[in-house]
Amino acid sequence: MKISHKQLEECRQQPRQWLVNVTGSYAGPRRLGYAQVLQLAIQRYHKDDSAAGARQHLATLMARANFQNAVRVSLTETSLDSYIDWHSTSGTVTADHRARLLLDLQGYLVLSGEVSRVDITPEGYRGILLGVPPRGWRDQLRMPLLQRALSRKYVRPLNEISIGVQDLDGSGLEIARFTSRRITEAEREFLDLGQRVRELVAGAP
């Protein structure tokens, strides 16, 4: 059973409620918000390596969504400019974006999802999740698992992989690198969680 890394903490805290949520009725596509269109514009920037193309894409998306809040429109445009400025002046070398990950530990749950950006650093690769960093993000179960998934995807040793978070305007970059022991512990917990979900699916109390 696949689980998005974005949902893993919810499942970890309340597996029964998570299962109810994911097996409930489909509510249809959600309307894009300001953060979502900014994410899409950033993705276009990395795809085409074009600041002008990213700005045009953002304008198109906001017009299509019929955004009416002039202040938030302006702030979103400013955030994109700030992100592009950070990326171009920081010397960051980005090897991949929207990197699809699938971590199968041969348990009931399979971790899936995307990492917003993968950079090449002197130490190796770093995977970045863009958006408002969750409080205590280093303690989330998905983080060491994402380090393992990136290690497998790019065939690099664990000690050459780091994982981090960053705001959509390019500020607040924070990085963590977990030890092999911590990653093994996370894998064990993930497998145990999968067994609990399996029992819930089977109707266990």
Side-chain angles (χ1 to χ4, degrees):
M1 183 177 188
K2 286 184 180 180
I3 178 171
S4 167
H5 69 79
K6 294 180 179 180
Q7 300 173 351
L8 184 55
E9 204 61 24
E10 176 189 356
C11 181
R12 184 189 192 189
Q13 301 299 326
Q14 296 181 307
R16 187 184 299 275
Q17 186 58 50
W18 172 81
L19 191 60
V20 169
N21 292 342
V22 299
T23 57
S25 59
Y26 176 61
R30 293 183 178 180
R31 185 176 182 272
L32 289 177
Y34 291 92
Q36 286 75 33
V37 298
L38 179 54
Q39 284 260 25
L40 291 171
I42 290 172
Q43 291 166 8
R44 179 61 62 89
Y45 167 70
H46 287 301
K47 178 182 178 181
D48 299 339
D49 193 25
S50 170
R55 294 183 180 106
Q56 181 57 54
H57 190 53
L58 179 63
T60 300
L61 289 171
M62 291 197 292
R64 188 180 301 161
N66 195 29
F67 289 158
Q68 299 294 317
N69 188 323
V71 173
R72 295 198 66 184
V73 166
S74 178
L75 287 173
T76 304
E77 293 170 339
T78 300
S79 291
L80 178 60
D81 288 341
S82 296
Y83 179 89
I84 292 171
D85 288 344
W86 168 82
H87 190 265
S88 61
T89 60
S90 65
T92 299
V93 178
T94 296
D96 203 355
H97 70 284
R98 295 194 67 182
R100 295 289 302 170
L101 299 178
L102 197 69
L103 182 63
D104 187 355
L105 300 177
Q106 304 302 311
Y108 186 72
L109 292 176
V110 176
L111 192 70
S112 64
E114 293 182 351
V115 169
S116 307
R117 194 183 74 235
V118 179
D119 301 327
I120 299 176
T121 71
E123 295 78 25
Y125 285 18
R126 69 181 182 198
I128 301 298
L129 303 177
L130 292 174
V132 178
R135 180 176 298 178
W137 65 269
R138 288 179 175 84
D139 297 323
Q140 291 189 339
L141 180 59
R142 63 173 171 163
M143 296 302 176
L145 296 177
L146 288 175
Q147 185 175 332
R148 171 72 78 186
L150 286 166
S151 172
R152 289 187 177 182
K153 181 178 179 69
Y154 298 105
V155 197
R156 307 283 292 199
L158 278 172
N159 63 0
E160 294 183 11
I161 302 291
S162 57
I163 190 76
V165 296
Q166 188 175 22
D167 288 309
L168 289 169
D169 63 359
S171 65
L173 178 62
E174 298 180 36
I175 304 296
R177 180 179 288 112
F178 299 94
T179 64
S180 296
R181 179 178 179 179
R182 175 69 185 91
I183 292 170
T184 299
E185 291 171 351
E187 289 173 333
R188 188 178 301 117
E189 182 178 349
F190 184 67
L191 289 170
D192 290 344
L193 179 60
Q195 181 58 34
R196 176 56 178 154
V197 172
R198 184 199 295 270
E199 293 168 355
L200 290 170
V201 169

